[in-house]
Amino acid sequence: MCRDTARHVISLSDLSDVDIRRIVARGGEFARGAAAGLRPQPTLAGSVIGLYFSRTSTRTRTAFSAGALRLGASVVAYGPGDLQLNTGETSEDTGRVLAGMLDALVARTAGDPAEMRAWARQERMAVVNAMSADEHPTQALADLTTLAGQFGAVDGLRLLYVGEGNNTAAALALGLSRYPGVRLDLRTPPGYGLAAEIRDRAAAAAAASGAVIRERHDMAELPADAEVVYTARWQTTGTSKPDPDWRAVFDPFRVTTAVMSAMPKAVFMHDLPAHRGEEVDAEVLDGPASIAFTQAESKMYSAMAVLEWCHGAG
Ligand code: CP
């Protein structure tokens, strides 16, 4: 990639409002182009993208692989046992070496973002967080792209998130907090809410933009005017819950047909994978209000937009 300084996407907090809107708009262009049967221009021809996933993934890994290939880039894929990180090579050395060979590294890890920040301590290779313990920024960019496609704009939307305050919820809060007039209500099980540091960052961004981010730990007084109900599975990839009775705490936070009927105008979103009968009833996920599978497809269009942005577009 012909850039002097690599552009990283490790947290949504790394991106300006303009960056986020550009990536969302470009993802929408790719989605509309695909719907019209158009093939994208090979804007990444000659680039080489590394994909390092130390945790399982269906959507994100395929979205970035297929997206890179559709834009003309080549892909090098590493599984959890492939890099010398496993034998003690430092993250800094790994980043320096890969930066001499790759244009971008898309990575999913179970750890905190410090490892990705270490890889990003060079100027040549973009580092993209495909999910870390604290945040799933490319999921939120895809979700914003889906929302913009569904509603025409994200500004002013009213959303309800039900479930664990996990990395998907964190990214959603950080992303939506940038949009004026947005109202995000989170209903998270007691003890499983947003991390305080994420809540504070989202609150600061919301105060600046005019968004509202609210969190409660019960399912009473659901917002009847919500336009979107969003949930995620209870067992976040790469994590486990030490409390053996955690299911009893999560049980009231299931998105049922009764929950959806309290918000009759709402569409249903889910980052997937789903466990029908746990976080969501099958009748909701597979019902007419669900846009979860459109949301999944938009991950590829959004990934293409992220890779182009890292390449220097916009
Ligand atoms: N939503 C999501 O990140 O899916 P994968 O874990 O399959 O990538």
Side-chain angles (χ1 to χ4, degrees):
M1 295 189 187
C2 303
R3 290 189 47 76
D4 296 331
T5 305
R7 286 172 161 179
H8 309 295
V9 183
I10 297 176
S11 167
L12 283 183
S13 300
D14 299 338
L15 303 182
S16 70
D17 294 352
V18 170
D19 293 335
I20 291 174
R21 285 181 185 266
R22 280 195 178 138
I23 291 168
V24 169
R26 187 66 175 137
E29 286 175 11
F30 283 127
R32 288 189 296 279
L38 302 175
R39 292 191 179 278
Q41 295 298 310
T43 52
L44 299 187
S47 296
V48 183
I49 314 294
L51 293 150
Y52 170 52
F53 279 66
S54 70
R55 288 293 181 274
T56 55
S57 170
T58 296
R59 277 145 291 273
T60 314
R61 180 171 171 167
T62 309
F64 276 96
S65 305
L69 292 168
R70 285 174 188 274
L71 292 176
S74 302
V75 166
V76 180
Y78 311 99
D82 290 343
L83 294 178
Q84 297 286 17
L85 285 163
N86 290 344
T87 61
E89 186 164 29
T90 67
S91 297
E92 284 79 1
D93 288 355
T94 303
R96 284 178 67 181
V97 169
L98 293 181
M101 305 178 189
L102 299 174
D103 297 299
L105 178 67
V106 179
R108 170 171 290 189
T109 69
D112 67 37
E115 186 176 34
M116 292 188 196
R117 297 271 175 217
W119 295 334
R121 223 163 281 140
Q122 41 74 34
E123 297 293 322
R124 299 163 75 186
M125 175 185 74
V127 177
V128 176
N129 178 358
M131 197 176 93
S132 56
D134 65 328
E135 196 182 325
H136 196 353
T138 64
Q139 180 66 48
L141 290 168
D143 295 342
L144 294 169
T145 304
T146 306
L147 290 167
Q150 178 74 22
F151 294 99
V154 177
D155 306 65
L157 287 178
R158 301 179 294 271
L159 303 96
L160 170 69
Y161 175 90
V162 179
E164 188 172 22
N166 61 9
N167 42 24
T168 286
L172 198 63
L174 291 172
L176 288 170
S177 66
R178 302 294 193 89
Y179 286 83
V182 159
R183 192 192 70 207
L184 172 64
D185 282 292
L186 298 113
R187 299 301 180 94
T188 54
Y192 295 93
L194 286 178
E197 187 267 334
I198 295 285
R199 201 169 49 237
D200 291 348
R201 254 197 285 156
S209 73
V212 173
I213 311 288
R214 307 186 293 209
E215 184 177 25
R216 280 172 59 164
H217 305 297
D218 63 72
M219 289 291 280
E221 302 167 302
L222 294 175
D225 62 350
E227 295 156 290
V228 180
V229 177
Y230 191 127
T231 194
R233 74 174 175 174
W234 289 346
Q235 300 190 78
T236 304
T237 301
T239 69
S240 61
K241 296 178 175 47
D243 175 8
D245 299 323
W246 67 266
R247 282 179 187 280
V249 183
F250 275 66
D251 208 48
F253 294 84
R254 174 174 298 124
V255 179
T256 60
T257 51
V259 166
M260 289 301 292
S261 64
M263 289 152 293
K265 288 188 299 188
V267 300
F268 174 74
M269 294 178 69
H270 191 309
D271 61 347
L272 303 178
H275 284 173
R276 291 171 177 80
E278 283 201 354
E279 76 277 3
V280 61
D281 283 354
E283 293 78 4
V284 175
L285 180 62
D286 301 318
S290 176
I291 59 168
F293 289 89
T294 301
Q295 181 186 358
E297 184 174 338
S298 81
K299 285 185 69 110
M300 184 178 73
Y301 307 124
S302 180
M304 291 160 72
V306 167
L307 291 173
E308 264 197 354
W309 180 83
C310 290
H311 187 64

